[in-house]
């Protein structure tokens, strides 16, 4: 893919779409306004993906040989079946990160793992695309996509909730610079957890210890 430049069109004007567009432009791919592009990236909410893919199929948008990628954590490449039926090549490329809509997103994308799924014959294309936008591809089998999506959601939502609550407790107590205090705590705790890996525990045993 690096030897030839693609025309691309990103559907979705949110932080995900904007960042991926910048990443593609950085490696000399060419953004165009038309949906008649070599690569179409559907950077839209998960709940809009199915109807958008089907709607474009009914409108005759998809074409043979066209690369069609989506960025949802919730689906593999099977959700792009209407495009595949028209001869398009379906790719799922989800950057495992939370986008902020600020200038830090692009550097973070370059450090991110990117969950890729595609038919076996097209998997090298999905991996190459992930590398081109700066991340490291990680293959997620289609049957493991639900587990991946749940893991991503739990990690991102729960982490944000706990950090927010911790900061709130300090601020309510009148302590200044709460974020500066909590930041290193969170980073060190996460680093320790990542280093240790998964450790199973018995919720009932934890409850017994607190009684």
């Amino acid at each position: 893919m690096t030897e030839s430049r693609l025309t691309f069109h990103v559907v979705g004007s949110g932080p995900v779409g904007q960042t991926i567009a910048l990443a593609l432009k950085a490696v000399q791919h060419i953004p165009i306004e038309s949906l008649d592009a070599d690569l179409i990236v559907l950077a839209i909410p998960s709940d809009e993906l199915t109807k958008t893919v089907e709607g474009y199929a009914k409108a005759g948008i998809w074409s043979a040989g066209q690369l069609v990628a989506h960025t949802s954590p919730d689906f593999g490449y099977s959700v792009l079946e209407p495009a595949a039926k028209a001869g398009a090549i379906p790719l799922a490329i989800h950057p495992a990160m939370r986008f902020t809509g600020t200038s830090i997103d692009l550097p973070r994308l370059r450090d991110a793992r990117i969950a890729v799924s595609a038919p076996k014959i097209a998997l090298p294309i999905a991996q190459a695309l992930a590398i081109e936008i700066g991340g490291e591809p990680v293959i997620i089998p289609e049957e493991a996509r639900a587990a991946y999506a749940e893991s991503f959601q739990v990690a991102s939502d729960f982490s944000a909730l706990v950090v927010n609550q911790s900061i709130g407790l300090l601020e309510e107590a009148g302590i200044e610079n709460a974020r500066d205090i909590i930041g290193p705590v969170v980073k060190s705790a996460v680093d320790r957890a990542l280093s240790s890996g998964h450790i199973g525990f018995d919720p009932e045993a934890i409850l017994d210890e607190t009684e």
Side-chain angles (χ1 to χ4, degrees):
M1 185 176 294
T2 56
E3 296 179 356
S4 60
R5 298 302 147 199
L6 303 174
T7 59
F8 72 89
H9 180 87
V10 176
V11 179
S13 57
V16 179
Q18 291 177 1
T19 304
I20 288 179
L22 287 173
L24 288 169
K25 287 172 64 177
V27 290
Q28 307 304 312
H29 293 304
I30 306 164
I32 63 173
E33 294 299 322
S34 170
L35 288 168
D36 185 24
D38 299 320
L39 166 66
I40 296 205
V41 179
L42 300 173
I44 56 179
S46 295
D47 59 2
E48 296 179 12
L49 187 56
T50 298
K51 64 181 181 182
T52 299
V53 175
E54 292 176 348
Y56 281 5
K58 291 178 181 178
I61 297 297
W62 309 125
S63 59
Q66 187 177 48
L67 302 175
V68 180
H70 76 77
T71 62
S72 168
D74 300 315
F75 300 98
Y77 65 87
S78 297
V79 72
L80 299 172
E81 184 178 359
K85 286 182 176 179
I89 301 171
L91 312 170
I93 50 163
H94 174 253
M97 59 176 279
R98 283 296 189 186
F99 291 79
T100 65
T102 67
S103 60
I104 67 174
D105 285 340
L106 189 56
R108 283 185 176 175
L109 178 62
R110 294 177 180 138
D111 291 331
R113 300 296 186 271
I114 299 181
V116 299
S117 303
K120 186 176 181 179
I121 195 172
L123 200 51
I125 298 175
Q127 292 171 299
L129 182 57
I131 292 170
E132 288 231 301
I133 63 176
E136 182 175 334
V138 178
I139 299 172
I140 305 295
E142 200 76 349
E143 63 273 15
R145 197 71 186 197
Y148 166 78
E150 183 178 3
S151 173
F152 174 78
Q153 201 71 33
V154 168
S156 57
D157 290 354
F158 187 70
S159 298
L161 177 64
V162 169
V163 170
N164 181 67
Q165 185 176 7
S166 299
I167 292 173
L169 288 171
L170 291 179
E171 290 180 343
E172 288 174 5
I175 298 174
E176 297 181 356
N177 302 320
R179 285 179 289 181
D180 293 337
I181 295 172
I182 294 300
V185 176
V186 172
K187 291 175 182 177
S188 60
V190 169
D191 286 344
R192 181 177 179 181
L194 290 173
S195 177
S196 300
H198 174 67
I199 300 175
F201 65 90
D202 182 354
E204 292 185 0
I206 294 177
L207 290 175
D208 290 341
E209 292 177 2
T210 59
E211 292 178 354

